[in-house]
Amino acid sequence: MKRYKIVELLGNTGRELLGQEIIVKGWVRAFRSNRFIQLNDGSCISVIQAVIDFELFDEALLRRITTASALSLTGKLVESIGSGQALELQVSAIEILGDANPDEVQKTVMQPKRHSLEFLREQAHLRFRTNTFGAVFRIRHAVAYAIHKFFNDRGFFYLHTPIITGSDAEGAGEMFRVTNLDPKNPPLNEDGSVNFKDDFFGKQVNLTVSGQLEAELAALALGQVYTFGPTFRAENSNTSRHLAEFWMIEPEVAFNDLKDNMDLTEDFLKYICSYILENCAEDLKFLNDRDAQEQTQKPQHERNELSLIERIEFVINNPFKRLTYTEAIEVLLNSNHYKKKKFKYDVSWGIDLQSEHERYLVEKEFKCPVILTDYPAQIKAFYMRLNEDGKTVAAMDVLFPGIGEIVGGSQREERYDILHKKCEEFGIHPEELWWYMDTRKFGTVPHAGFGLGFERMVMFVTGMSNIRDVIPFPRTPQNAEF
Ligand code: ATP
Ligand code: MN
């Protein structure tokens, strides 16, 4: 006899199997009246109802069927007479695969009642069993798949860039060092500093903060590439949008300028949103209702006028607002919010925009996703292409409602001399980046790319408001449990 997954039974396959004996395996969500088992197997959010004729089974066996226990049930698939589900299983054989102690279950998130997200985080190993996290992680998978599909369909090549990197051109001070030296007794130089020549790689190495520099090398040969890998930042930002370990997608395209880069980003983000709407309807419906419930708990002025599904549709159906950094500064300076001194941080040309400024632009001023371009050179990375004005660079940040920055990108500086000068201005030794500089000597071309924070995208499409709740095992300052 064949085992079917619940997602199959609730679709066309289930209709075809009516009247037949089949096997389902899963975990008990509820067992009511010694008669109705709600079984979930993780394939979808729905449960299948299994009906037991208790006279057919040993009482001791039935007593072992408790919330969270694992079962293999054999039975006939029939149309359900009760409301709530179309099909149910008339059980003829029960095998208990794994028992669960009801007293222990009481103390966990598997106890079927509403738990706080904080409590669920403490039990990250068990929270997969809840409806919310089942839905979030199925959608997380679908977002990853949509990303690969988007790029594959457009002829991009998936590139694996190193996780251990010797270049510290980016994010100096924000990197995690990788070493196998004895911390108590490291080899020392004459001046007392640690001698990294004796370390595993013969030099100081770190966990990567971005695969971009390496992706550029490949783009300048393969044309269009993208990375999708883990990224590490030792920044001590304990916010609801930062992780110390997160996943980033970084496409890099030869011959693209900033405008092409913006068009690609917009198509890409809209594609992901459409894919989730079309392929994750059941989980999304659940999260939509959950989000609506959450909204009612918030004070009036923080409530979102749009439901989760409407917010996703809004992104698909509306063009992103594009404006320059300089224009954005004007908008902020002219806002009533500024005049009434409601911003905590001051506004003037040259500042790095704070999240309150970004949120104002997206949520109050334009009420749609915003792409800000052409930032002052000194607040952006050395590799961004210098504009004609000599003081701004061809950078772009995409800001999303409720999230803030979701994408950061730029057209890259392809001119050797200017790049060399920028390195010096930023205190970067071009010799250490010889392999990067080299590409500007052998058939250099305009090229552009961006980085999408994977978890921030998952936050947007699931409506979860803390980034720790969209990654299975979050790593944040002072926390690396599991
Ligand atoms: P932020 O200003 O929000 O810290 P950033 O300017 O440091 O972001 P980039 O270095 O441009 O971000 O990284 C590209 C993208 O990676 C960001 O747009 C964001 O979506 C994501 N990202 C950056 N830092 C983190 C983090 N610590 N945790 C999760 N995602 C992040
Ligand atoms: Mn950051």
Side-chain angles (χ1 to χ4, degrees):
M1 212 174 306
K2 193 168 168 221
R3 178 214 159 192
Y4 288 90
K5 283 177 279 164
I6 293 169
V7 71
E8 297 168 314
L9 298 180
L10 300 177
N12 289 336
T13 314
R15 302 249 125 243
E16 290 160 17
L17 288 169
L18 268 180
Q20 293 185 36
E21 287 258 309
I22 57 157
I23 297 174
V24 268
K25 298 182 181 184
W27 296 271
V28 175
R29 282 290 172 84
F31 184 27
R32 286 184 291 113
S33 324
N34 236 0
R35 191 166 161 74
F36 302 106
I37 301 176
Q38 311 289 331
L39 201 72
N40 179 274
D41 66 2
S43 62
C44 59
I45 200 161
S46 292
V47 292
I48 185 144
Q49 172 154 287
V51 186
I52 305 238
D53 182 349
F54 58 81
E55 286 178 359
L56 292 180
F57 299 96
D58 185 28
E59 224 192 291
L61 179 85
L62 293 185
R63 238 180 287 125
R64 286 171 60 198
I65 302 175
T66 60
T67 299
S69 58
L71 307 180
S72 173
L73 298 176
T74 307
K76 191 157 72 167
L77 196 64
V78 299
E79 255 170 296
S80 175
I81 1 168
S83 61
Q85 64 277 321
L87 304 173
E88 61 188 26
L89 197 72
Q90 272 175 356
V91 179
S92 54
I94 302 172
E95 186 190 347
I96 301 199
L97 301 173
D99 290 285
N101 178 333
D103 295 335
E104 297 276 337
V105 170
Q106 281 284 333
K107 297 176 210 149
T108 75
V109 299
M110 292 179 293
Q111 155 85 346
K113 62 167 204 181
R114 231 188 141 74
H115 305 284
S116 75
L117 291 170
E118 289 77 12
F119 181 60
L120 285 152
R121 239 171 264 151
E122 286 169 18
Q123 296 187 13
H125 60 307
L126 299 176
R127 67 179 178 171
F128 295 107
R129 291 276 188 98
T130 65
N131 279 334
T132 299
F133 285 89
V136 165
F137 292 124
R138 277 186 297 269
I139 290 182
R140 184 180 161 107
H141 160 79
V143 174
Y145 179 75
I147 288 167
H148 285 300
K149 182 163 165 51
F150 176 89
F151 288 122
N152 183 66
D153 289 353
R154 283 157 188 76
F156 283 67
F157 302 108
Y158 179 25
L159 184 78
H160 296 95
T161 50
I163 291 167
I164 297 176
T165 167
S167 90
D168 59 354
E170 264 203 290
E174 287 192 354
M175 302 182 91
F176 290 101
R177 182 168 303 156
V178 180
T179 176
N180 70 346
L181 293 177
D182 178 358
K184 278 207 222 96
N185 188 22
L188 299 178
N189 293 313
E190 273 173 14
D191 64 0
S193 60
V194 176
N195 180 3
F196 286 100
K197 286 211 176 62
D198 287 346
D199 204 349
F200 190 90
F201 295 103
K203 64 191 275 195
Q204 225 174 298
V205 296
N206 301 296
L207 292 178
T208 184
V209 294
S210 157
Q212 180 207 316
L213 300 189
E214 290 91 348
E216 280 188 51
L217 313 184
L220 292 173
L222 299 171
Q224 319 184 93
V225 300
Y226 70 104
T227 72
F228 190 162
T231 314
F232 308 86
R233 305 240 170 129
E235 53 191 358
N236 206 350
S237 27
N238 233 325
T239 78
S240 57
R241 292 172 299 114
H242 288 90
L243 292 165
E245 176 182 292
F246 64 100
W247 289 67
M248 188 146 66
I249 299 93
E250 295 179 281
E252 193 67 39
V253 186
F255 315 112
N256 265 12
D257 63 15
L258 189 64
K259 162 85 169 45
D260 303 322
N261 206 25
M262 287 192 276
D263 293 345
L264 178 68
T265 314
E266 193 167 331
D267 286 350
F268 176 53
L269 298 178
K270 286 181 165 163
Y271 179 89
I272 297 172
C273 288
S274 302
Y275 186 90
I276 298 305
L277 270 190
E278 281 163 28
N279 294 279
C280 303
E282 206 194 9
D283 286 325
L284 201 53
K285 168 82 175 56
F286 175 84
L287 292 172
N288 188 68
D289 295 347
R290 184 188 173 281
D291 179 77
Q293 175 73 31
E294 292 270 285
Q295 296 294 338
T296 63
Q297 315 287 317
K298 291 186 186 168
Q300 191 78 38
H301 69 279
E302 280 178 28
R303 272 184 219 169
N304 214 309
E305 294 153 32
L306 302 180
S307 73
L308 172 62
I309 291 174
E310 285 166 342
R311 301 202 291 274
I312 298 173
E313 284 168 343
F314 187 90
V315 166
I316 299 169
N317 297 328
N318 292 281
F320 295 5
K321 172 76 187 170
R322 301 179 182 193
L323 74 164
T324 66
Y325 168 93
T326 305
E327 287 162 346
I329 293 287
E330 285 301 309
V331 170
L332 291 172
L333 288 175
N334 287 324
S335 68
N336 276 330
H337 210 77
Y338 178 78
K339 288 173 186 156
K340 289 184 186 156
K341 300 199 184 340
K342 282 197 190 158
F343 288 122
K344 199 169 141 221
Y345 295 89
D346 199 16
V347 179
S348 66
W349 198 93
I351 61 155
D352 208 353
L353 293 179
Q354 297 292 327
S355 125
E356 57 168 351
H357 304 135
E358 297 179 341
R359 294 192 75 148
Y360 178 84
L361 293 169
V362 174
E363 285 157 30
K364 297 280 184 303
E365 181 72 28
F366 299 112
K367 297 187 191 304
C368 72
V370 170
I371 311 184
L372 286 186
T373 61
D374 304 291
Y375 284 73
Q378 66 271 20
I379 61 169
K380 287 290 181 185
F382 77 99
Y383 51 71
M384 298 193 180
R385 192 179 197 277
L386 192 65
N387 287 329
E388 296 297 308
D389 62 16
K391 54 178 194 180
T392 60
V393 285
M396 58 163 217
D397 275 7
V398 182
L399 313 177
F400 255 39
I403 307 284
E405 184 190 326
I406 195 162
V407 162
S410 67
Q411 185 176 338
R412 320 304 189 189
E413 185 56 78
E414 84 283 12
R415 297 161 295 186
Y416 183 89
D417 293 340
I418 299 180
L419 188 61
H420 199 278
K421 209 170 135 233
K422 280 288 279 296
C423 279
E424 282 168 352
E425 283 168 19
F426 278 74
I428 294 163
H429 302 295
E431 320 77 69
E432 281 174 22
L433 279 181
W434 62 272
W435 44 273
Y436 185 71
M437 302 302 295
D438 252 14
T439 55
R440 273 62 173 172
K441 293 198 283 191
F442 306 110
T444 187
V445 294
H447 59 289
F450 62 83
L452 167 70
F454 182 59
E455 282 77 17
R456 293 202 187 161
M457 189 69 212
V458 180
M459 284 173 81
F460 181 72
V461 293
T462 57
M464 300 303 282
S465 52
N466 194 313
I467 199 165
R468 294 167 179 82
D469 297 327
V470 297
I471 189 164
F473 302 106
R475 268 78 184 96
T476 50
Q478 299 300 312
N479 169 44
E481 193 64 47
F482 310 105

